Amino acid sequence: MTTARFSGLTARRGPLTTGQANMVRCMLTDPPEHMNYRVVRAVQPGTTLAAITEAVIRLVTRHESLRTLFHDDLQRVLGAGDVAVEVHDTGEPPSRAAGPDGAPLSVGGAKTGEAETPDTDLAEEVARRLHATRFALDTEIPLRVAVITSGGVPRQVVLVTTHSAMDAAGLAVLLAEWDELLLGKPLAPVTAPQPLDVAAAEHTPAGLRRSEAALRYWEGHLRRVPRSTLTVAVDGETDWLLPRLRVRSVPAARALGRISARTGASPSAAVLAALAVLAGVRARLRTVVVLSISANRFRPELREYVGPLAQDALIPVEVGGDGFDAVLRGARSATMAAYQNSRFDADALIRVMEDVQRERGLFFARDIVFNDMSVPGRGPRVSRTGEDVHSVWLPPATLPTRTSLWVHRLHGELDVTLWADPRCLPRDDTSALGEGIARLLIEAGDRDVPLAGLGALTGVVPVPRDDGWLPIDGCWVHLPEVERLTADALARLGGGEAAVVTEADGRLGHRLVCFTSAETTPRALHSACMSLLFGRMSAMAPHHYVVCATAPPPGASWQDLPRVAEGSGR
């Protein structure tokens, strides 16, 4: 163990940025494996432990986010402190454990395929341990460092940081600087603002207006869009250990260039539109909500910012047209509007969502997430040149979503990974969706593809639904699951009989009405239903409640009984 000690810096404190507040809230509840970054980096031969320690000091000195602690609604930037640097030796002679030539071995725990050696084994073991430990936000500097040596000679460095300190774009900036420092190259002065500077800008009148406009944008869409796309009759939460399908295609990347030239949409927007279209085919929905992780680095001064800026952008994609080009143009406009409204007060948004959920009687699922991590000119090596679509299953990994498409590369080769909860998207359906995105793009490179023929082209077909499924308020709802929800809610309130019936409604399509003889109120019953909705993807709380004096005798109707109370419960 050694120490990287920094001192003589300016200590500061102030409010959190919206990105920090969002990530701090998540870090207090989500597993550390979801919130921490881990990177294993090989070092050039001749690199000393002292050089590594000095590089750590330089990074912490340059970026206040790496020496920031959080206390309630305040951030405190340390002017002095220590970063512990663990040192682990493989016990092998240096000649046996010589590492690669400085390329990254892994990021986030996903190996790049380098040959296993004693030091890479040890590095991954140390990385997993540091990665799986939650950061103490109020006392621990958000950077963990370990050096793997062989015979005392440094071979690899493990770096672990967390989402409260930076997003993926900020991590890329940090790693580029790390590589330059270990090569002995001088770094340009930091021109990007520090998190406290961003927080100050967000609290100006203009910044507050922008955040308020984002909340209005979200609320407007949340009041009309489907609460879920991958709506199936499953309850409860998965452990979020999801199968992953990697899909690669060189012809799909070439097609993206032709699609962009014809429609004016970016390759990223085309992939997002293809995902939304095929999800809509499977769900039989005309509007598909995609939550895209927005880097929020639109202004030049934020491009090199080391801090958390990424937040969800809510993109409603209309997929009910005749051809793919029209969907893509709509998705392009929707994406631009969504990204402009993706910096917001997360706590305020949660309150908005809770109000809308109670009014609509539903729970919004984060079930289709799009994460474009591609960088033009950079990305995984293009290893295939065939005129086909290739896919391979990767080991399962944890991610808190139903389905997520990660885009690694768009130029030279389309390279994406589709994560999918098998309860919502079984493996065969995941393969059809993942490969179907590439096949749709290849076809769209030459023409406007009619949406009516996508099943034959991609193998994505509508999920079967029996007579118990109804389209209500833009969502698919399974009536037996609504009945089970109300029964469980009554059991929580002390028991009682109930029945759910549907009535025609011009706005909702169908209105769900719950009749009960329990000694309760509409508001209490609605609250109980809402408290049980999380994880029930196919249920919706009734829109109206009727409390009757007694239960009906066999063969009689609830509608004919005397009513004690009735109302929406909202």
Side-chain angles (χ1 to χ4, degrees), residues 86 88 121-131 146 148 158:
E86 298 183 8
H88 301 272
D121 287 340
L122 180 57
E124 287 299 328
E125 177 185 336
V126 172
R128 283 192 295 270
R129 173 175 56 81
L130 296 178
H131 180 246
I148 309 302
V158 176

Side-chain angles (χ1 to χ4, degrees), residues 400-423:
T401 185
R402 301 293 184 186
T403 300
S404 184
L405 186 72
W406 287 16
V407 179
H408 308 295
R409 190 183 186 107
L410 291 168
H411 301 276
E413 180 183 50
L414 175 69
D415 186 355
V416 301
T417 298
L418 179 61
W419 307 59
D421 182 342
R423 302 179 308 163

Side-chain angles (χ1 to χ4, degrees), residues 267-415:
S268 180
V271 176
L272 185 149
L275 168 65
V277 162
L278 294 181
V281 168
R282 176 175 172 80
R284 288 196 184 100
L285 288 175
R286 298 180 65 86
T287 302
V288 170
V289 175
V290 178
L291 292 174
S292 179
I293 299 176
S294 173
N296 283 318
R297 293 168 185 263
F298 308 112
R299 300 201 307 275
E301 67 271 19
L302 292 175
R303 299 283 166 78
E304 302 296 310
Y305 173 69
V306 177
L309 281 174
Q311 290 183 269
D312 281 349
L314 187 153
I315 306 174
V317 183
E318 303 302 325
V319 297
D322 295 327
F324 181 66
D325 282 9
V327 174
L328 177 51
R329 292 188 181 97
R332 176 193 180 195
S333 299
T335 299
M336 293 174 65
Y339 288 156
Q340 290 297 323
N341 290 282
S342 58
R343 287 182 69 179
F344 45 79
D345 181 333
D347 289 333
L349 178 58
I350 289 174
R351 292 191 292 271
V352 168
M353 293 184 71
E354 289 174 344
D355 289 343
V356 175
Q357 287 176 160
R358 185 174 182 89
E359 290 177 15
R360 291 184 66 185
L362 47 76
F363 186 90
F364 289 104
R366 193 173 186 263
D367 65 354
I368 297 185
V369 176
F370 181 79
N371 189 9
D372 184 358
M373 301 181 292
S374 66
V375 178
R378 293 168 53 189
R381 180 171 57 90
V382 177
S383 60
R384 299 182 184 275
T385 58
E387 299 298 309
D388 203 354
V389 177
H390 305 272
S391 65
V392 61
W393 286 101
L394 304 177
T398 58
L399 193 70
T401 185
R402 301 293 184 186
T403 300
S404 184
L405 186 72
W406 287 16
V407 179
H408 308 295
R409 190 183 186 107
L410 291 168
H411 301 276
E413 180 183 50
L414 175 69
D415 186 355

Side-chain angles (χ1 to χ4, degrees), residues 52 57 69 85 88 99-100 161 191 211 229 242 249 282 292-293 347 384 395 431 456 458 486 501 533 535 542:
I52 293 171
I57 296 172
L69 306 180
V85 179
H88 301 272
T161 185
T191 58
S211 181
T229 298
L242 305 183
S249 174
R282 176 175 172 80
S292 179
I293 299 176
D347 289 333
R384 299 182 184 275
S431 294
T458 65
T486 57
V501 301
L533 262 181

Side-chain angles (χ1 to χ4, degrees), residues 122-167:
L122 180 57
E124 287 299 328
E125 177 185 336
V126 172
R128 283 192 295 270
R129 173 175 56 81
L130 296 178
H131 180 246
T133 304
R134 191 184 303 274
F135 277 90
L137 296 174
D138 57 344
T139 58
E140 182 181 6
I141 289 175
L143 179 64
R144 297 170 181 155
V145 184
V147 181
I148 309 302
T149 63
S150 296
V153 177
R155 296 300 181 187
Q156 294 169 332
V157 176
V158 176
L159 302 172
V160 172
T161 185
T162 190
H163 275 73
S164 67
M166 65 197 70
D167 52 25

Side-chain angles (χ1 to χ4, degrees), residues 239 266 375:
D239 59 4
S266 68
V375 178

